[in-house]
Amino acid sequence: MQIFGVDIGGSGIKGAPVDLGRGDLAQERHKVLTPHPATPEGVVERVCEVVEHFGWSGPVGATFPGVITGGTARTAANVDKSWIGTDIRGLISERLGGAPVTVLNDADAAGVAEMHFGAGRDRTGTVILLTLGTGIGSAVFTGGHLVPNTELGHLELHGHDAEKRASSKAREDEDLTWEHWAHRVQKYLAHVEMLFSPELFIIGGGVSRKAHKFLPLIKGIEAEVTPAKLQNNAGIVGAAMAARATA
């Protein structure tokens, strides 16, 4: 069975049909740049461009970098603030001619995919997925069940939002060495571990492709720390899974 998944990020929007039997993309993903300013109208236009690239008709799952309740954005950390209060589900569905659309937080989507098909499979304790990208997204699972919209990237770390210090964007913006950045990530993980005592951290986002450059430098964390197996495709797969569950 295939369902379309699209992942809306602060820098890019990517999507593809997903083979839900394998938990993998059925075709090579198509990616476009997120418009700036990242307003609802501009982003939805790009989302539909990605969907229409494949000539897709049918259910669509979409992620969004913020808190989502009932298909509506409640926060908008790394996109335009005009998203707050926007019915994303209705906006995309209308633009796609009434296609069924499911919307969920981007890190939650990635976490759902990793728990079912990836690094969290068969783990029943507390598992936390963290996506290190434009910001830091989080997905918390206990007993295999998701606690939605946790937003742990906004925990305070040394007087700042943690994502301002330990995201992949912070590393790039400040031109940090892998060692310096790994030290910041280590401090962040230690803070989250103190609060939640997970048995496993899964590190996702685009930087998970380069996990060998920084994960071995992280010391003193009691939980297991591992890269996401689905890497940066996890959000697309999780979005499609959510759309199937809704359908």
Side-chain angles (χ1 to χ4, degrees), residues 130-208:
L130 298 167
T131 58
L132 307 180
T134 305
I136 296 178
S138 62
V140 177
F141 296 83
T142 181
H145 297 287
L146 171 69
V147 181
N149 294 314
T150 48
E151 296 290 286
L152 300 183
H154 299 297
L155 288 172
E156 184 177 319
L157 187 66
H158 301 302
H160 301 274
D161 257 17
E163 68 178 21
K164 302 298 184 187
R165 300 277 298 166
S167 66
S168 181
K169 185 176 186 296
R171 182 184 67 82
E172 295 167 0
D173 288 351
E174 298 181 46
D175 196 25
L176 301 176
T177 64
W178 287 104
E179 290 81 4
H180 190 164
W181 184 64
H183 185 61
R184 289 189 181 186
V185 174
Q186 176 181 302
K187 286 184 175 181
Y188 173 60
L189 292 180
H191 187 51
V192 176
E193 182 169 64
M194 180 267 294
L195 294 171
F196 292 93
S197 302
E199 70 173 48
L200 174 66
F201 283 114
I202 302 172
I203 305 301
V207 76
S208 61

